[in-house]
Amino acid sequence: MKRNKKIDILLYLLVVFPLVVIFIPLSQNSYSLGFRDRVKKIIENRKVKGIKKNKYFAFQYHQFSKHTYLNVITSWKPDWFNEPDTSKIYPDAKTIPLKKDIESWEGFNLDEAIRRANEKQNFSSSEPLTLNEVSRLLYFTYGVTGVIRKRGGILYLRTAPSAGALYPTEIYLIVNNVKDLESGVYNYLVKDHVLQQIKRGDFSKELINSCLNDSSIKNSNLIFVFTDIFYRSKWKYRERGYRYSLIDAGYVIKNLVLESASVGLRTKTYFDFLDDKINKLLGVDGVKEASVALVTVGKGMGDNFSPVGQASRLSERRFSVDRRGFLTPPERFLDGRFKSHRVISQIKESMSISEKYHENSKQIIYRPKIERVSLKPYSIEKRIELPQEFPRSNIKIEELLLKRRSAEDLGNLPISKTELSEILYLSFRLERESHYKISSPHQLDLFLVVNNVQGVDRGVYHYDRQSHSLEQIKKIDLQELCWKYCLRQDI
């Protein structure tokens, strides 16, 4: 007997569809609405060897913000009626307009700017910066380079790429010594290229205390404080958006460092600081919006020098610098005047897992127990030596920053072995040869999937920065597989 199609459709709607609605959310991760409670139970009941519950939020956060095909397809969709604004406006604040003279703003070539960024850093407090120099730094760090009309408004494209063009990073300036600009705290309103004055006064003492008593801050002309408004990314990417917001901040920070070097200014970057004090100074809550990095900028270079992100000589009398990049206090100070630095902020049950991780990461002084792995967990089929001499680039760093956005259309054209070598050399090797190390060499490893490089077979490689060479792990064509694993994005 021939079945009626209408009856089949009705049976599907009444039986199959409700089952799908019920069981699919049960298999999702933390992207699902209502799944957070189930995640809490799993975390409480799961016994992972060497992991204490309610302590290692970084491990928990990383595990539960992973992508799977199922959670991408069935995850929570953005609320288009509550899309976050990418600009933070202080309606009652005094605004300081900044001039923008792009045509006259030229500096060093890219390779020279990178080399200068890796030189010794120190400041001279005698010469002030001009307002034009501040305007230039802000524009090439995060300024508007294009405008796109979209549903519900205008999208302002910037000199730094951003996941989903959501731009979670905010820039605050703490001014010490700038001509025609009053000392105080300012927020940079990107779309109008103006400064919004939040507070007046000299806050160098608070900054020194917040940056582990680094007295060199008082000699800098101004301090950039980078914050992230996490909801801007989490609105679309949920808990995984926390990852993207930190990566976005890294792009913006590197823009500032390169442009400062291009005009002969010195910078010093801080990732270790007392979060709550900096957040209070800016007037942010530290949860929905929180400071993630500080960069001091100034003129001049002297004999005294403190490495980027580490304590000054005054602080080094009290702290030893661990090889893994963490500040480790001698035992006699653990119960003394630095005891307050070791206190972890109170974790609230109402926080999301990314908020818990961020709150827990405010503890900056501790002794991490990490087993170092010295053996490479892979075999090397062959080693490819890369050239170390490159033609001098005539491209100005400003020209590149104006073009720098998220990748658009890739032409599937090959790059040369020399071009790949130069990219790797400038990204890694210069830091190893400089007078200081920005980070521990064990904190970052680079693996490459080569699809179309002249003179290099397709396959999986590891970059050995010590010898500036590629270690071939496997000769294989992974172009289609990478496309699949990257959620069918055009890579």
Side-chain angles (χ1 to χ4, degrees), residues 205-267:
K205 185 176 180 180
E206 289 88 336
L207 285 169
I208 291 172
N209 293 334
S210 300
C211 294
L212 307 179
N213 294 324
D214 188 347
S215 59
S216 67
I217 289 177
K218 67 181 180 182
N219 293 327
S220 63
N221 294 81
L222 71 161
I223 299 92
F224 283 70
V225 183
F226 297 90
T227 69
D228 274 338
I229 299 178
F230 301 114
Y231 177 70
R232 289 181 186 172
S233 292
K234 291 168 71 173
W235 166 79
K236 181 176 182 180
Y237 300 111
R238 297 307 295 266
E239 292 301 308
R240 193 178 179 90
Y242 180 76
R243 297 193 196 187
Y244 301 153
S245 63
L246 295 180
I247 294 172
D248 286 358
Y251 290 132
V252 183
I253 293 168
K254 183 53 70 174
N255 279 3
L256 172 61
V257 172
L258 288 176
E259 180 57 24
S260 298
S262 180
V263 297
L265 297 175
R266 305 300 181 185
T267 58

Side-chain angles (χ1 to χ4, degrees), residues 88-258:
K88 186 175 183 180
I89 298 175
Y90 292 83
D92 300 326
K94 175 185 176 182
T95 58
I96 294 90
L98 301 172
K99 293 182 180 179
K100 187 165 57 177
D101 190 7
I102 300 175
E103 294 181 358
S104 66
W105 286 343
E106 281 194 9
F108 293 115
N109 300 335
L110 173 63
D111 51 355
E112 182 64 22
I114 293 176
R115 285 183 173 86
R116 286 177 175 267
N118 283 312
E119 291 178 351
K120 291 183 178 181
Q121 312 293 308
N122 214 329
F123 310 115
S124 172
S125 60
S126 58
E127 187 177 358
L129 287 180
T130 65
L131 197 56
N132 182 60
E133 288 173 316
V134 173
S135 175
R136 173 175 180 164
L137 289 177
L138 286 168
Y139 180 75
F140 286 113
T141 297
Y142 210 33
V144 175
T145 58
V147 176
I148 295 178
R149 296 194 176 274
K150 63 172 185 174
R151 176 177 60 180
I154 297 175
L155 177 63
Y156 297 93
L157 302 177
R158 309 184 187 184
T159 55
S162 174
L166 297 171
Y167 301 107
T169 305
E170 286 286 322
I171 296 179
Y172 294 82
L173 290 185
I174 302 176
V175 176
N176 284 341
N177 188 11
V178 177
K179 188 178 180 181
D180 299 325
L181 189 60
E182 187 178 7
S183 295
V185 181
Y186 299 81
N187 173 269
Y188 176 46
L189 182 56
V190 177
K191 67 176 183 178
D192 296 331
H193 193 57
V194 300
L195 288 175
Q196 304 177 100
Q197 188 179 56
I198 302 173
K199 293 181 179 179
R200 298 178 181 178
D202 181 5
F203 299 99
S204 57
K205 185 176 180 180
E206 289 88 336
L207 285 169
I208 291 172
N209 293 334
S210 300
C211 294
L212 307 179
N213 294 324
D214 188 347
S215 59
S216 67
I217 289 177
K218 67 181 180 182
N219 293 327
S220 63
N221 294 81
L222 71 161
I223 299 92
F224 283 70
V225 183
F226 297 90
T227 69
D228 274 338
I229 299 178
F230 301 114
Y231 177 70
R232 289 181 186 172
S233 292
K234 291 168 71 173
W235 166 79
K236 181 176 182 180
Y237 300 111
R238 297 307 295 266
E239 292 301 308
R240 193 178 179 90
Y242 180 76
R243 297 193 196 187
Y244 301 153
S245 63
L246 295 180
I247 294 172
D248 286 358
Y251 290 132
V252 183
I253 293 168
K254 183 53 70 174
N255 279 3
L256 172 61
V257 172
L258 288 176

Side-chain angles (χ1 to χ4, degrees), residues 346-388:
Q346 186 177 1
I347 307 299
K348 299 178 182 179
E349 288 299 321
S350 60
M351 291 179 176
S352 68
I353 195 165
S354 62
E355 290 171 348
K356 289 181 180 180
Y357 165 63
H358 185 84
E359 196 71 14
N360 188 66
S361 68
K362 292 178 181 179
Q363 181 192 14
I364 62 173
I365 300 175
Y366 64 104
R367 195 181 299 276
K369 296 180 180 179
I370 301 174
E371 293 184 3
R372 300 178 69 88
V373 179
S374 58
L375 298 176
K376 294 182 178 180
Y378 55 84
S379 58
I380 301 173
E381 294 184 356
K382 70 176 181 179
R383 183 180 295 273
I384 301 174
E385 301 297 332
L386 298 173
Q388 299 186 24

